[in-house]
Amino acid sequence: MINRRFFRKIKNGAFLALSLVATLTGLACLAAILWTLISHGVAGLSWHLFAEMTPPPGSRGGLLNAIYGSAVMTLLGILIGSPIGVLAGTYLAEYGRRSTLSVLIRFINDVLLSAPSIIIGLFIYEIVVVKMGHFSALAGALSLAVLAIPVTLRTTEDMLNLVPPGMKDASAALGAYPWRTIVSVLYPAARSGIVTGLLLAIARISGETAPLLFTALNNQFWSTQLNAPMANLPVVIFQFALSPYKEWQDLAWAGALIITASILMLSIAARVILAMLQAERGSDQ
Amino acid sequence: MAIIDPGHAAKQLVYERIFRAATLAAALLVLLILGGVAVSLFRGAWPALRHFGFAFVTREIWNPVTDEFGALAPIYGTVVTSLIAMALAVPTAFGIALFLTEICPPLLKRPIGVAVELLAAVPSIIFGIWGLFVLAPVLQRHVQPWLIHHAHHVPVLGQLFKGPPFGIGIFTAGLVLAIMVLPFIAATMRDVFDTVPPMLKESGYGLGATRWEVIWNVVVPHSRVGVVGGIMLGLGRALGETMAVTFVIGNAHRISTSLLAPGTTISSAIANEFTEAVGDLYTSSLIALGLLLFLITFTVIAAAQAMLRRLERRTEQ
């Protein structure tokens, strides 16, 4: 009997220790990646990065055109994708809450949320690049928009569902049509939640590489034309990191540091907003 | 003056109809996108599928010069790297989820949870350069020679870990994928474990069970469907992951019994070759690879979602 109890205790301790090891492994991976980025990337950080164009092989330069291109395409992607996501989320949460169509759309949206982004790139290549006959920043922005829709849709629906039903009833009792209630009562009440969704969507699409490879392609020069190929950070990092030139590799590391730092900051900001929202909700009750 | 202005009410009704139609149209667009993806991939893949027929998925050859393409090597690479990733990531994610829900002191719960979620936010390309410049050299110098030396005389393992240590290859790709899908699986498992009613766990403790016994005999059986759903969600990610794999797989259209050999996956083949593909048949073959990937991941993710939904419904009851 004593033996058996001892064995159970040992087994318990062993498995709990293993779960601690697993957690430390996960944290170590994050730390290792961040440390690599900082140690390789900091050396390349200078004002040249933000003032000069991507250089030809073997010479020094910056990432200005790539940073500009990434900003433009991410912004356009959000401007096109998020209104669709917010409206669709509104439909699922309000108009069609329990309809069969909503169940189907919710399901398909969750599938799209985890679908490989390279497939979306191929889709936009087929319907935009092939039709236009050339690669373009617009095609890149569209593929990012398609990736932003599922993220904003999901958070909008969840956040609208969190608004206390009493507010909706009060608005309806005043004789407001549903659209009035949604625009004047529900959206303001769910505002910080919807903003969180937007931040998460920006974080998600600004690091995407695969869908840009054959939509926006890349451009070594400064270009503001939406109708032409445009440089962007992820594809420049991909191209420069795999090149044999030291200058290009250094730029790739600096670019990787910039992009990761901005994405992690966006993700943390989104979480802080969400935590504040929850605290606010908690104090109301 | 009437209290209700009929003109105003009529205008409100028009706005209502417009707004409702706009939300419905946006919602339908989601369906349209998925349909559009399927149709456009199929159309793009049709020339290759017609030319090669079913043999496209059973042949290993990939020769742009003679215009002969078969998808077997990329399919093999995709499946094997994903299996390696799952074998490594699932136990680790299980451990993290357990730690976070059952063991972790409350004060550390949030920071560690957020750190795991941040690992999920790191873009795929960052895992790629980290894998190529940091992980691969370490594997090449220390891990792979050890594996080759010790697996040498063991029957099956000897075949799996054979040949020169390249650093990059199927094994390295599987390892990087494991780190990438780890946070997704861990976060889903954590959420699923949190749905277990405390009463059930307390009953276990009341019977004198140890913490591990409660976890294994109460928490896991109760959340089984969700755990499997989380694993499948991770598998869906691993199958479709592109950039990280492209960096470390070695890009060889070859099936080798050794896991240390370079290989290719569906997504890395598309990422590497698409913009350089000359000729309609070459491009179409790459799109056909995309169609295969779409069908595989769609099935896996849809199954995962169905399982997670079943759990959700059960919890609501």
Side-chain angles (χ1 to χ4, degrees), chain B residues 77-315:
Chain B
T78 302
V79 171
V80 173
T81 50
S82 297
L83 287 182
I84 296 174
M86 298 321 279
L88 296 171
V90 169
T92 317
F94 183 74
I96 294 178
L98 272 193
F99 182 82
L100 284 175
T101 50
E102 309 290 334
I103 304 165
C104 186
L107 198 66
L108 287 177
K109 214 169 179 170
R110 217 178 137 71
I112 295 181
V114 170
V116 171
E117 283 164 22
L118 286 186
L119 187 61
V122 173
S124 152
I125 189 161
I126 305 299
F127 283 95
I129 50 176
W130 179 74
L132 181 63
F133 289 102
V134 179
L135 190 63
V138 172
L139 290 177
Q140 183 175 23
R141 256 177 258 136
H142 305 292
V143 180
Q144 293 184 345
W146 185 87
L147 280 174
I148 294 167
H149 183 77
H150 285 86
H152 187 58
H153 300 292
V154 190
V156 181
L157 286 182
Q159 288 298 311
L160 288 180
F161 300 108
K162 199 176 66 174
F166 287 110
I168 53 174
I170 300 260
F171 176 73
T172 313
L175 190 57
V176 172
L177 278 180
I179 301 172
M180 293 192 67
V181 297
L182 179 66
F184 289 101
I185 307 179
T188 320
M189 282 190 182
R190 176 194 61 188
D191 295 347
V192 167
F193 287 166
D194 270 336
T195 63
V196 178
M199 185 81 92
L200 283 180
K201 287 192 271 185
E202 301 296 332
S203 314
Y205 290 124
L207 287 171
T210 63
R211 228 187 260 209
W212 169 253
E213 284 163 348
V214 167
I215 290 162
W216 193 247
N217 298 312
V218 178
V219 175
V220 172
H222 190 269
S223 47
R224 199 186 308 125
V225 188
V227 170
V228 177
I231 293 173
M232 305 262 293
L233 210 58
L235 178 62
R237 293 249 170 203
L239 290 167
E241 190 40 64
T242 310
M243 298 320 293
V245 175
T246 308
F247 271 91
V248 297
I249 188 97
N251 304 310
H253 279 274
R254 202 166 350 120
I255 297 178
S256 168
T257 50
S258 172
L259 297 181
L260 303 183
T264 188
T265 68
I266 295 179
S267 51
S268 70
I270 302 172
N272 256 313
E273 300 172 34
F274 198 80
T275 44
E276 285 156 19
V278 197
D280 290 342
L281 203 56
Y282 194 1
T283 308
S284 174
S285 298
L286 286 168
I287 297 178
L289 281 183
L291 181 66
L292 280 177
L293 180 65
F294 174 73
L295 295 175
I296 297 171
T297 49
F298 182 85
T299 317
V300 171
I301 299 170
Q305 292 298 344
M307 285 175 163
L308 289 171
R309 249 148 246 257
R310 222 172 85 196
L311 184 81
E312 227 165 76
R313 269 206 305 279
R314 208 178 60 191
T315 330

Side-chain angles (χ1 to χ4, degrees), chain A residues 1 13 17 26 29 40 53 56 63 82 86 103 123 134 153 190 212 219 223 229 236 242 252 267:
Chain A
M1 267 325 255
C29 289
H40 283 73
M53 305 299 151
L63 293 168
S82 63
V86 169
V103 175
F123 167 56
H134 57 85
L153 189 157
L212 294 179
N219 191 337
S223 164
V236 167
L242 288 176
S267 309

Side-chain angles (χ1 to χ4, degrees), chain A residues 8 12 110 126 179 271, chain B residues 16 117 208 212-213 287 309:
Chain A
R8 283 174 57 202
N12 183 46
D110 282 350
E126 281 287 306
W179 83 271
R271 278 183 181 78
Chain B
E16 169 66 23
E117 283 164 22
W212 169 253
E213 284 163 348
I287 297 178
R309 249 148 246 257

Side-chain angles (χ1 to χ4, degrees), chain A residues 24-59:
Chain A
L24 291 178
T25 311
L27 294 178
C29 289
L30 180 66
I33 289 170
L34 293 182
W35 171 245
T36 309
L37 283 177
I38 292 171
S39 63
H40 283 73
V42 161
L45 282 185
S46 71
W47 61 270
H48 290 288
L49 279 185
F50 307 97
E52 288 171 31
M53 305 299 151
T54 46
S59 52

Side-chain angles (χ1 to χ4, degrees), chain A residues 155-173:
Chain A
T155 32
T156 304
E157 192 197 352
D158 289 350
M159 292 304 148
L160 287 178
N161 280 335
L162 285 180
V163 177
M167 292 176 75
K168 209 163 63 177
D169 297 343
S171 172

